[in-house]
């Protein structure tokens, strides 16, 4: 599984998604853009660095996250394995997805590892989930979401629901991460189902 964290608001969605995948014994190919790192700092505090990611996730979500493993890639490393279609990456999620990265994916620019790895998922017809966050949205941004959907991506906007009566921010993050996991083909009980 590949997980890209870019500089759109919603660091908690990324952390919950990474934790949930690690709990499921996954190996993650992780890419954090420059603004993704800044976002983690701005929204989660200086103590949450990529260097102590697993410790942070274990403190917040429990020791189960140590079941998984990850490789952290530079966004500049276009030679990483996930930049090639011959690498069998099963699914990729960009969470949260900035409007800049959304545009790059929509137009197949492949300038960075995030854009290239996403492009590979589309060309190989493998699952790509993009989790855009912006409001309000311009016409180019709306069109870029349509382009991604037309190319085969699942466009899963960071729009948590309230029908499950969330009590905390973590409840909202669970909802978004649960939606992402469902799109990646995992069953889970991260939030109460509608009507249950
Ligand atoms: C704290 C913070 C929050 C941001 N929130 C958003 C956002 O919600 N959506 C967005 O498209 N850009 C947002 N930005 C701007 C992007 O980070 C900026 O456009 C950046 O160039 C994106 O680069 P990247 O896609 O390579 O991470 C935010 C920036 C910062 C520092």
């Amino acid at each position: 599984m590949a997980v890209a964290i870019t500089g759109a608001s919603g660091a908690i969605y990324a952390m919950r998604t990474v934790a949930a995948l690690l709990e499921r014994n996954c190996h993650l190919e992780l890419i954090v853009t420059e603004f993704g790192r800044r976002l983690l700092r701005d929204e989660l505090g200086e103590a949450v660095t990529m260097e102590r990611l697993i410790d942070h996730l274990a403190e917040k979500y429990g020791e189960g996250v140590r079941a998984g493993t990850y490789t952290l890639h530079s966004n500049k490393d276009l030679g990483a394995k996930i930049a090639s279609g011959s690498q069998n990456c099963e699914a990729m999620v960009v969470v949260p997805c900035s409007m800049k990265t959304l545009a790059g994916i929509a137009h197949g620019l492949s300038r960075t590892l995030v854009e290239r790895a996403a492009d590979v998922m589309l060309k190989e017809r493998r699952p790509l989930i993009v989790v855009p966050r912006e409001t309000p949205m311009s016409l180019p941004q709306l069109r870029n979401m349509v382009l991604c959907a037309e190319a085969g991506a699942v466009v899963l906007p960071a729009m948590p629901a309230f029908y499950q009566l969330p009590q905390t921010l973590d409840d909202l993050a669970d909802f978004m991460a649960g939606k992402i996991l469902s799109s990646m083909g995992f069953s889970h009980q991260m939030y109460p189902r509608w009507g249950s």
Side-chain angles (χ1 to χ4, degrees):
M1 304 285 166
V3 179
I5 302 173
T6 74
S9 190
I12 192 174
Y13 301 139
M15 291 298 104
R16 188 66 192 101
T17 302
V18 167
L21 291 171
L22 291 173
E23 282 163 8
R24 284 163 179 76
N25 213 12
C26 292
H27 178 75
L28 305 184
E29 307 289 345
L30 193 56
I31 319 158
V32 187
T33 67
E34 191 186 335
F35 272 84
R37 283 175 186 261
R38 176 163 170 184
L39 176 88
L40 297 181
R41 256 199 334 269
D42 285 2
E43 294 193 349
L44 303 176
E46 297 284 342
V48 183
T49 60
M50 293 316 294
E51 288 65 40
R52 62 174 307 275
L53 177 70
I54 287 280
D55 289 337
H56 165 70
L57 294 176
E59 282 159 24
K60 186 158 173 62
Y61 302 110
E63 291 296 317
V65 299
R66 298 193 196 276
T69 52
Y70 71 93
T71 305
L72 182 62
H73 298 280
S74 160
N75 197 26
K76 293 184 184 143
D77 185 9
L78 289 165
K81 279 189 192 161
I82 48 171
S84 161
S86 52
Q87 161 79 0
N88 271 344
C89 186
E90 285 179 35
M92 176 173 180
V93 58
V94 185
V95 57
C97 184
S98 74
M99 295 299 104
K100 177 189 144 194
T101 293
L102 176 77
I105 295 171
H107 293 274
L109 298 185
S110 284
R111 294 166 300 188
T112 60
L113 183 57
V114 174
E115 289 179 358
R116 171 62 188 167
D119 212 21
V120 166
M121 299 308 282
L122 293 176
K123 85 184 178 72
E124 300 294 335
R125 305 285 193 267
R126 296 190 199 130
L128 170 67
I129 296 115
V130 291
V131 185
R133 204 230 66 100
E134 187 52 279
T135 196
M137 282 192 177
S138 67
L139 187 56
Q141 292 165 346
L142 293 166
R143 288 199 168 125
N144 286 337
M145 288 199 293
V146 172
L147 283 173
C148 284
E150 285 174 343
V154 174
V155 178
L156 198 157
M159 287 183 186
F162 291 83
Y163 54 71
Q164 79 282 21
L165 304 179
Q167 304 293 308
T168 65
L169 292 181
D170 286 324
D171 291 342
L172 297 175
D174 283 355
F175 180 87
M176 286 308 307
K179 287 283 176 186
I180 292 165
L181 257 66
S182 295
S183 288
M184 294 175 107
F186 291 97
S187 58
H188 63 84
Q189 297 184 320
M190 295 184 71
Y191 55 84
R193 303 284 156 180
W194 172 252
S196 62

